[in-house]
Amino acid sequence: MATFNRVARNVLQKSPNDVVLLSTVRTPINRSFKGGYKDAWPEDILMPAMKAAVQRAKIEPGDVNDAMIGNVLAELGFAKTGRMALNHAGFPNSTTFHTVNRQCSSSLQAITHISHSIMVGQIDVGLAGGVESMSRNYGSRGVPTDVSPTLQASQVKDARDCLMPMGITSENVAERYGIDRKSQDEYAVRSHGRASKAQKEGRFDWELVSVTVPRVDEATGQLAGFEVTKDDGIRHGLTYEKVSTLKPVFGENGKSTAGNSSQISDGASATILARRSWAEERGLKPLGRFVGTQVRGCAPDEMGIGPILAFPALYKYTGVDQKDVDIIELNEAFASQTLQCIRALGLDEEKVNPNGGAIALGHPTGATGARQTATLFGELRRQDKEIGIVSMCASTGHGVASMFIRES
């Protein structure tokens, strides 16, 4: 056991009011427009995850007081169809529902909000997760089109930059902080290599939930049930020679390519959170507990560096030192910003994304944070470690970081 300071020892001490995780699951992530979910609706992807989260937690749907789902792109913020999905999946009307959109951190924000509701005594049990069908919604809702003329003509650069394409922010980070193309491509190869090894060794099996969704049968042209069992974006055997031939996407002299950026993907995730005393009264064994979340803002035109600000805030809030963190799930929006975050924070690269990240697995924006949480607990379990962090940048200039402690 590592030696912690006095504040951290208070964090590590168990309390009846702790927010504990009873389950954390995710669906396979598939490529948008061509993968297993290409003809599915986000509700189709989410419902099996919510059901599995309840089953693996060994509770009943009616035990869940409130559900919160992160989503970025769906119509009406997924508020109405999300509630429909909750009811259709077998949850009673007494289980309330709402959604959150904090861009790429949406489902991690859902975990945070549900945890806070438990902390203040508003609820005892909650479901937090996320879903995204970029196949269905990416083209039509990725960037707002109905924007106030006042904002369109704004003289405030940071206001205008909130609509900057994410790829341009990646190029800004690479240019400003000296992240060369070679380093980005090498990082992409490493992400795919780690994910490939993890998939072949079955490391993801613990966190995965197979999903059967509607898919157009190529022979008949009709919708039929199609089972999705594994992530399909991992490029096994990817080499630097291959990825280095790809052309930049955001300008002739750019460094971000389809190979060293996160994939456009579909997927869902779900986590059951509860008050420790509630779980103990029912003889339920937690996977671990939620410690806290910190969010910090940065310039929108370099949104990828957000975690550089969020990590120190999280360490100060929890009292835990970086050297005592065992595993870090850092979302790989782009290799440029991932590398800058690793370098600026002085992270141990062996602890960061040991099973690959979004460059290899994909990035269904609304679902990614809770997906990372499931992957984090799977790896803490495999390595028999304790402390983990889930973090990501988010569009318009945010960095988010949450800490969890596994319980054996």
Side-chain angles (χ1 to χ4, degrees):
M1 175 71 70
T3 301
F4 300 96
N5 63 37
R6 183 159 53 87
V7 177
R9 282 198 294 272
N10 292 336
V11 167
L12 294 172
Q13 185 177 354
K14 294 180 182 179
S15 163
N17 288 321
D18 284 340
V19 177
V20 297
L21 288 78
L22 299 180
S23 68
T24 179
V25 305
R26 70 171 180 95
T27 69
I29 300 171
N30 271 210
R31 296 170 294 167
S32 297
F33 313 116
K34 60 182 70 173
Y37 306 124
K38 70 181 183 66
D39 302 313
W41 281 258
E43 306 90 86
D44 299 323
I45 310 171
L46 176 63
M47 287 187 288
M50 294 193 296
K51 289 180 180 180
V54 166
Q55 292 165 357
R56 295 188 189 183
K58 299 181 180 178
I59 64 173
E60 297 298 322
D63 291 327
V64 179
N65 305 132
D66 195 14
M68 188 173 203
I69 296 298
N71 183 267
V72 178
L73 299 173
E75 186 179 19
L76 298 178
F78 199 61
K80 292 187 180 291
T81 51
R83 171 66 162 174
M84 291 173 70
L86 188 79
N87 290 355
H88 186 78
F91 291 80
N93 288 333
S94 58
T95 301
T96 54
F97 180 87
H98 58 317
T99 63
V100 62
N101 180 355
R102 194 170 235 166
Q103 302 291 332
C104 303
S105 65
S106 294
S107 55
L108 188 60
Q109 193 63 51
I111 289 174
T112 300
H113 280 335
I114 289 293
S115 296
H116 289 172
S117 292
I118 295 171
M119 286 176 174
V120 300
Q122 183 174 336
I123 63 173
D124 288 320
V125 184
L127 183 153
V131 65
E132 208 70 69
S133 171
M134 299 183 85
S135 291
R136 189 157 292 276
N137 295 310
Y138 181 71
S140 60
R141 299 189 181 94
V143 177
T145 56
D146 186 17
V147 180
S148 161
T150 302
L151 295 182
Q152 293 183 42
S154 176
Q155 297 302 303
V156 180
K157 181 178 183 298
D158 286 339
R160 299 194 308 273
D161 287 347
C162 286
L163 296 183
M164 180 177 287
M166 294 299 93
I168 301 301
T169 73
S170 172
E171 296 293 1
N172 288 343
V173 170
E175 181 68 24
R176 292 171 188 175
Y177 301 101
I179 312 297
D180 60 64
R181 169 70 187 267
K182 183 173 184 289
S183 297
Q184 294 181 54
D185 288 344
E186 288 174 342
Y187 185 87
V189 171
R190 184 172 69 187
S191 182
H192 280 279
R194 289 181 173 184
S196 175
K197 187 173 189 291
Q199 187 177 67
K200 290 175 180 178
E201 292 180 356
R203 295 186 195 175
F204 298 130
D205 294 351
W206 178 86
E207 67 203 57
L208 282 174
V209 176
S210 296
V211 179
T212 299
V213 295
R215 194 172 193 269
V216 174
D217 185 290
E218 294 183 2
T220 66
Q222 302 297 313
L223 285 174
F226 182 84
E227 186 178 24
V228 182
T229 61
K230 65 179 182 179
D231 305 314
D232 75 349
I234 303 169
R235 297 178 178 90
H236 300 284
L238 182 68
T239 63
Y240 172 79
E241 287 70 28
K242 174 66 175 177
V243 77
S244 64
T245 64
L246 298 176
K247 294 182 179 179
V249 178
F250 304 100
E252 185 177 340
N253 298 317
K255 301 177 179 67
S256 294
T257 72
N260 61 34
S261 306
S262 59
Q263 300 178 39
I264 299 173
S265 310
D266 307 330
S269 52
T271 296
I272 297 294
L273 300 140
R275 188 181 314 283
R276 183 186 295 281
S277 59
W278 187 94
E280 289 181 343
E281 287 169 4
R282 290 154 181 80
L284 301 173
K285 184 178 180 181
L287 301 175
R289 63 188 181 275
F290 168 85
V291 178
T293 295
Q294 290 292 294
V295 183
R296 291 294 183 270
C298 64
D301 73 344
E302 55 175 21
M303 62 92 203
I305 69 164
I308 297 172
L309 305 177
F311 268 73
L314 184 65
Y315 295 142
K316 181 178 180 180
Y317 175 74
T318 62
V320 174
D321 294 328
Q322 180 163 286
K323 63 181 176 59
D324 296 316
V325 177
D326 297 305
I327 303 293
I328 296 168
E329 279 289 323
L330 179 63
N331 190 43
E332 298 169 353
F334 299 92
S336 61
Q337 57 82 213
T338 305
L339 284 167
Q340 175 56 16
C341 289
I342 290 172
R343 293 174 183 179
L345 290 167
L347 302 180
D348 182 343
E349 295 189 21
E350 294 305 309
K351 294 182 178 181
V352 178
N353 301 346
N355 296 315
I359 289 174
L361 296 171
H363 179 24
T365 48
T368 290
R371 189 285 297 171
Q372 290 175 278
T373 303
T375 304
L376 172 69
F377 271 90
E379 186 62 15
L380 288 171
R381 177 175 175 267
R382 188 182 75 86
Q383 292 192 25
D384 193 22
K385 299 291 187 179
E386 281 188 291
I387 301 176
I389 290 176
V390 173
S391 182
M392 71 282 290
C393 58
S395 172
T396 70
H398 295 91
V400 186
S402 298
M403 184 176 291
F404 300 89
I405 296 178
R406 173 181 166 263
E407 299 178 5
S408 55

PDB file of all heavy atoms in Angstrom, residues 185-200:
ATOM      1  N   ASP A 185       1.829   9.714 -35.136  1.00  0.00           N
ATOM      2  CA  ASP A 185       1.617   8.429 -35.798  1.00  0.00           C
ATOM      3  C   ASP A 185       2.135   7.273 -34.952  1.00  0.00           C
ATOM      4  O   ASP A 185       1.508   6.202 -34.885  1.00  0.00           O
ATOM      5  CB  ASP A 185       2.307   8.426 -37.163  1.00  0.00           C
ATOM      6  CG  ASP A 185       1.588   9.295 -38.181  1.00  0.00           C
ATOM      7  OD1 ASP A 185       0.414   9.655 -37.935  1.00  0.00           O
ATOM      8  OD2 ASP A 185       2.194   9.624 -39.219  1.00  0.00           O
ATOM      9  N   GLU A 186       3.256   7.472 -34.301  1.00  0.00           N
ATOM     10  CA  GLU A 186       3.788   6.429 -33.414  1.00  0.00           C
ATOM     11  C   GLU A 186       2.833   6.169 -32.260  1.00  0.00           C
ATOM     12  O   GLU A 186       2.625   5.010 -31.854  1.00  0.00           O
ATOM     13  CB  GLU A 186       5.158   6.840 -32.888  1.00  0.00           C
ATOM     14  CG  GLU A 186       6.261   6.789 -33.933  1.00  0.00           C
ATOM     15  CD  GLU A 186       7.586   7.347 -33.421  1.00  0.00           C
ATOM     16  OE1 GLU A 186       7.576   8.068 -32.393  1.00  0.00           O
ATOM     17  OE2 GLU A 186       8.623   7.077 -34.057  1.00  0.00           O
ATOM     18  N   TYR A 187       2.222   7.232 -31.744  1.00  0.00           N
ATOM     19  CA  TYR A 187       1.269   7.047 -30.655  1.00  0.00           C
ATOM     20  C   TYR A 187       0.044   6.266 -31.140  1.00  0.00           C
ATOM     21  O   TYR A 187      -0.470   5.386 -30.438  1.00  0.00           O
ATOM     22  CB  TYR A 187       0.823   8.393 -30.073  1.00  0.00           C
ATOM     23  CG  TYR A 187      -0.065   8.196 -28.876  1.00  0.00           C
ATOM     24  CD1 TYR A 187       0.478   8.044 -27.600  1.00  0.00           C
ATOM     25  CD2 TYR A 187      -1.449   8.081 -29.015  1.00  0.00           C
ATOM     26  CE1 TYR A 187      -0.335   7.806 -26.504  1.00  0.00           C
ATOM     27  CE2 TYR A 187      -2.266   7.844 -27.925  1.00  0.00           C
ATOM     28  CZ  TYR A 187      -1.710   7.698 -26.676  1.00  0.00           C
ATOM     29  OH  TYR A 187      -2.510   7.436 -25.600  1.00  0.00           O
ATOM     30  N   ALA A 188      -0.426   6.572 -32.337  1.00  0.00           N
ATOM     31  CA  ALA A 188      -1.580   5.857 -32.892  1.00  0.00           C
ATOM     32  C   ALA A 188      -1.292   4.367 -33.027  1.00  0.00           C
ATOM     33  O   ALA A 188      -2.138   3.523 -32.703  1.00  0.00           O
ATOM     34  CB  ALA A 188      -1.956   6.450 -34.245  1.00  0.00           C
ATOM     35  N   VAL A 189      -0.104   4.036 -33.504  1.00  0.00           N
ATOM     36  CA  VAL A 189       0.274   2.630 -33.640  1.00  0.00           C
ATOM     37  C   VAL A 189       0.283   1.945 -32.276  1.00  0.00           C
ATOM     38  O   VAL A 189      -0.175   0.802 -32.125  1.00  0.00           O
ATOM     39  CB  VAL A 189       1.652   2.508 -34.325  1.00  0.00           C
ATOM     40  CG1 VAL A 189       2.163   1.068 -34.283  1.00  0.00           C
ATOM     41  CG2 VAL A 189       1.574   2.998 -35.763  1.00  0.00           C
ATOM     42  N   ARG A 190       0.756   2.662 -31.270  1.00  0.00           N
ATOM     43  CA  ARG A 190       0.782   2.094 -29.918  1.00  0.00           C
ATOM     44  C   ARG A 190      -0.635   1.857 -29.391  1.00  0.00           C
ATOM     45  O   ARG A 190      -0.917   0.832 -28.764  1.00  0.00           O
ATOM     46  CB  ARG A 190       1.543   3.007 -28.966  1.00  0.00           C
ATOM     47  CG  ARG A 190       1.687   2.426 -27.564  1.00  0.00           C
ATOM     48  CD  ARG A 190       2.604   3.265 -26.710  1.00  0.00           C
ATOM     49  NE  ARG A 190       2.020   4.552 -26.374  1.00  0.00           N
ATOM     50  CZ  ARG A 190       2.662   5.524 -25.747  1.00  0.00           C
ATOM     51  NH1 ARG A 190       3.926   5.382 -25.413  1.00  0.00           N
ATOM     52  NH2 ARG A 190       2.055   6.664 -25.470  1.00  0.00           N
ATOM     53  N   SER A 191      -1.530   2.808 -29.631  1.00  0.00           N
ATOM     54  CA  SER A 191      -2.907   2.659 -29.173  1.00  0.00           C
ATOM     55  C   SER A 191      -3.548   1.425 -29.792  1.00  0.00           C
ATOM     56  O   SER A 191      -4.174   0.610 -29.097  1.00  0.00           O
ATOM     57  CB  SER A 191      -3.720   3.912 -29.515  1.00  0.00           C
ATOM     58  OG  SER A 191      -5.041   3.798 -29.036  1.00  0.00           O
ATOM     59  N   HIS A 192      -3.391   1.275 -31.104  1.00  0.00           N
ATOM     60  CA  HIS A 192      -3.953   0.102 -31.780  1.00  0.00           C
ATOM     61  C   HIS A 192      -3.272  -1.183 -31.309  1.00  0.00           C
ATOM     62  O   HIS A 192      -3.940  -2.214 -31.135  1.00  0.00           O
ATOM     63  CB  HIS A 192      -3.813   0.244 -33.293  1.00  0.00           C
ATOM     64  CG  HIS A 192      -4.865   1.116 -33.911  1.00  0.00           C
ATOM     65  ND1 HIS A 192      -6.123   0.664 -34.203  1.00  0.00           N
ATOM     66  CD2 HIS A 192      -4.834   2.423 -34.280  1.00  0.00           C
ATOM     67  CE1 HIS A 192      -6.834   1.640 -34.736  1.00  0.00           C
ATOM     68  NE2 HIS A 192      -6.065   2.731 -34.792  1.00  0.00           N
ATOM     69  N   GLY A 193      -1.974  -1.130 -31.120  1.00  0.00           N
ATOM     70  CA  GLY A 193      -1.260  -2.322 -30.664  1.00  0.00           C
ATOM     71  C   GLY A 193      -1.727  -2.779 -29.294  1.00  0.00           C
ATOM     72  O   GLY A 193      -1.938  -3.986 -29.052  1.00  0.00           O
ATOM     73  N   ARG A 194      -1.909  -1.833 -28.384  1.00  0.00           N
ATOM     74  CA  ARG A 194      -2.372  -2.188 -27.040  1.00  0.00           C
ATOM     75  C   ARG A 194      -3.802  -2.715 -27.087  1.00  0.00           C
ATOM     76  O   ARG A 194      -4.140  -3.691 -26.391  1.00  0.00           O
ATOM     77  CB  ARG A 194      -2.279  -0.976 -26.117  1.00  0.00           C
ATOM     78  CG  ARG A 194      -0.858  -0.598 -25.754  1.00  0.00           C
ATOM     79  CD  ARG A 194      -0.823   0.605 -24.808  1.00  0.00           C
ATOM     80  NE  ARG A 194       0.530   0.876 -24.337  1.00  0.00           N
ATOM     81  CZ  ARG A 194       0.836   1.809 -23.450  1.00  0.00           C
ATOM     82  NH1 ARG A 194      -0.131   2.567 -22.928  1.00  0.00           N
ATOM     83  NH2 ARG A 194       2.089   1.997 -23.075  1.00  0.00           N
ATOM     84  N   ALA A 195      -4.663  -2.064 -27.875  1.00  0.00           N
ATOM     85  CA  ALA A 195      -6.055  -2.519 -27.978  1.00  0.00           C
ATOM     86  C   ALA A 195      -6.140  -3.890 -28.624  1.00  0.00           C
ATOM     87  O   ALA A 195      -6.952  -4.733 -28.217  1.00  0.00           O
ATOM     88  CB  ALA A 195      -6.866  -1.502 -28.768  1.00  0.00           C
ATOM     89  N   SER A 196      -5.307  -4.123 -29.626  1.00  0.00           N
ATOM     90  CA  SER A 196      -5.287  -5.419 -30.292  1.00  0.00           C
ATOM     91  C   SER A 196      -4.912  -6.527 -29.315  1.00  0.00           C
ATOM     92  O   SER A 196      -5.563  -7.576 -29.246  1.00  0.00           O
ATOM     93  CB  SER A 196      -4.292  -5.385 -31.461  1.00  0.00           C
ATOM     94  OG  SER A 196      -4.171  -6.662 -32.055  1.00  0.00           O
ATOM     95  N   LYS A 197      -3.883  -6.290 -28.540  1.00  0.00           N
ATOM     96  CA  LYS A 197      -3.437  -7.276 -27.553  1.00  0.00           C
ATOM     97  C   LYS A 197      -4.530  -7.513 -26.507  1.00  0.00           C
ATOM     98  O   LYS A 197      -4.822  -8.661 -26.140  1.00  0.00           O
ATOM     99  CB  LYS A 197      -2.160  -6.785 -26.875  1.00  0.00           C
ATOM    100  CG  LYS A 197      -1.494  -7.790 -25.936  1.00  0.00           C
ATOM    101  CD  LYS A 197      -0.149  -7.243 -25.450  1.00  0.00           C
ATOM    102  CE  LYS A 197       0.646  -8.297 -24.680  1.00  0.00           C
ATOM    103  NZ  LYS A 197       0.031  -8.634 -23.386  1.00  0.00           N
ATOM    104  N   ALA A 198      -5.153  -6.434 -26.072  1.00  0.00           N
ATOM    105  CA  ALA A 198      -6.204  -6.557 -25.054  1.00  0.00           C
ATOM    106  C   ALA A 198      -7.385  -7.354 -25.587  1.00  0.00           C
ATOM    107  O   ALA A 198      -7.938  -8.215 -24.884  1.00  0.00           O
ATOM    108  CB  ALA A 198      -6.657  -5.171 -24.611  1.00  0.00           C
ATOM    109  N   GLN A 199      -7.781  -7.077 -26.812  1.00  0.00           N
ATOM    110  CA  GLN A 199      -8.923  -7.796 -27.377  1.00  0.00           C
ATOM    111  C   GLN A 199      -8.608  -9.276 -27.564  1.00  0.00           C
ATOM    112  O   GLN A 199      -9.417 -10.154 -27.222  1.00  0.00           O
ATOM    113  CB  GLN A 199      -9.336  -7.172 -28.714  1.00  0.00           C
ATOM    114  CG  GLN A 199     -10.628  -7.753 -29.284  1.00  0.00           C
ATOM    115  CD  GLN A 199     -11.043  -7.069 -30.563  1.00  0.00           C
ATOM    116  OE1 GLN A 199     -10.371  -7.185 -31.593  1.00  0.00           O
ATOM    117  NE2 GLN A 199     -12.158  -6.339 -30.528  1.00  0.00           N
ATOM    118  N   LYS A 200      -7.424  -9.578 -28.067  1.00  0.00           N
ATOM    119  CA  LYS A 200      -7.053 -10.973 -28.286  1.00  0.00           C
ATOM    120  C   LYS A 200      -6.939 -11.751 -26.985  1.00  0.00           C
ATOM    121  O   LYS A 200      -7.209 -12.954 -26.937  1.00  0.00           O
ATOM    122  CB  LYS A 200      -5.720 -11.034 -29.059  1.00  0.00           C
ATOM    123  CG  LYS A 200      -5.836 -10.584 -30.511  1.00  0.00           C
ATOM    124  CD  LYS A 200      -4.482 -10.545 -31.190  1.00  0.00           C
ATOM    125  CE  LYS A 200      -4.593 -10.086 -32.632  1.00  0.00           C
ATOM    126  NZ  LYS A 200      -3.258  -9.985 -33.299  1.00  0.00           N
TER     127      LYS A 200
END
